Amino acid sequence: MTQQQLDETVEYLIKKGFDKPEIGIVLGTGLGQLADAIENPVVAHYNHIPYFPLATVEFHSGKLIYGEIEDKKVVVMQGRFHLYEGYGFQDITYPIRVMKQLGIGHLLISNAAGAVNLDFSKGDLMLIEDHINLQGGSPLAFKNVAEFGDRFVDMKEPYDVDMREILLETARKEQITLHEGVYASVVGPQLETRAEYRMIKTLGADAVGMSTVPEVIVANHLRLPIVAISVLTDECDPDNLQAIDIQEIIEIAQKAEPKMIQLFKSLIKRL
Ligand code: HPA
């Protein structure tokens, strides 16, 4: 990745009409409905954006959408890139750097995740308060990283406290269950074994998924305040493990998404 590539990507998007977005949003698996709430949308397909990772079959519908939500200018990633598709850490986080250079001051992230904390139920939402990187690498482990920011990025409070507080307050007011917990990221795409779920729980995680952490690391590199919400799509009880059904995961995510949209919209209004 070079600054010149970033400049070219950003120039392409500005020409398309991506005019100084204030807030970036990443939508996770099964969580595309928020895109319908965007007013005056301008759409850029990932395949057409210079230097964006080349979309895989699964991702042919990936889009970057610019527009307004609650009268704020937003840029929304409908579909993200994952390590399990064969991309590298820098590829999957490139869009975060692009959104930052477009001008966003806040980033809202969502994902689908499995609940390893068995007090949580599928269909519930979890606000990520901290994470554990189990992906075996870092998006900041490259030669010229210092040209883009600090190499040794502090991760004491990777998730923005003020935005978290707003989300918790909104959830209380609107009677939406919003757990708080630790998210562990794995590469995937295979799900975890029973022994792995036990390990992940022992390590101190409440949920596990295949995304988000690299994006959060890069956002911290860019000093970009972020929040992230997991939609819990399955219960990972090693003593009673059900075979995973991807279609069911997507359905549960879609059913729970309106709650997440409500929270994100309230937050956007207050930013
Ligand atoms: N493990 C990893 N990723 C996931 C899961 C899971 O159980 N559920 C949804 N995404």
Side-chain angles (χ1 to χ4, degrees), residues 112-114 186 191-192 197 208-210 233-234 236 249:
V186 293
L191 278 294
E192 287 66 49
Y197 281 130
V208 56
M210 303 173 191
T233 53
D234 52 305
C236 311
I249 284 192

Side-chain angles (χ1 to χ4, degrees), residues 8 20 28 52 58 72-73 87 119 219 242 244 261 267:
E8 272 181 55
K20 301 191 188 72
F52 250 52
E58 207 176 333
K72 298 270 164 61
K73 294 192 231 175
Y87 300 116
D119 294 334
Q242 307 299 310
I244 211 87
I261 292 176
L267 174 60

Side-chain angles (χ1 to χ4, degrees), residues 4-135:
Q4 193 184 338
Q5 287 172 343
L6 272 171
D7 292 345
E8 272 181 55
T9 307
V10 167
E11 191 185 340
Y12 170 87
L13 292 169
I14 290 173
K15 272 201 188 127
K16 265 195 97 78
F18 285 56
D19 177 35
K20 301 191 188 72
E22 305 160 73
I23 299 164
I25 303 170
V26 181
L27 300 178
T29 305
L31 303 171
Q33 298 166 67
L34 182 59
D36 301 335
I38 305 172
E39 286 166 55
N40 306 314
V42 181
V43 176
H45 289 268
Y46 292 165
N47 277 351
H48 299 154
I49 305 175
Y51 301 110
F52 250 52
L54 272 187
T56 60
V57 178
E58 207 176 333
F59 253 107
H60 61 274
S61 65
K63 299 182 202 96
L64 200 60
I65 309 170
Y66 170 87
E68 288 125 47
I69 296 178
E70 301 289 348
D71 293 324
K72 298 270 164 61
K73 294 192 231 175
V74 299
V75 54
V76 178
M77 285 183 74
Q78 192 177 33
R80 60 149 64 81
F81 300 97
H82 300 86
L83 290 173
Y84 64 69
E85 294 166 275
Y87 300 116
F89 277 101
Q90 282 184 58
D91 302 324
I92 62 175
T93 52
Y94 187 74
I96 308 297
R97 296 187 182 279
V98 169
M99 289 192 284
K100 166 74 182 182
Q101 194 167 317
L102 278 168
I104 64 165
H106 296 89
L107 180 62
L108 283 44
I109 295 179
S110 62
N111 63 46
V116 288
N117 181 334
L118 300 178
D119 294 334
F120 301 170
S121 306
K122 58 180 167 185
D124 288 353
L125 305 181
M126 186 188 93
L127 180 63
I128 302 181
E129 58 174 348
D130 206 346
H131 71 225
I132 300 173
N133 179 6
L134 296 177
Q135 292 180 319

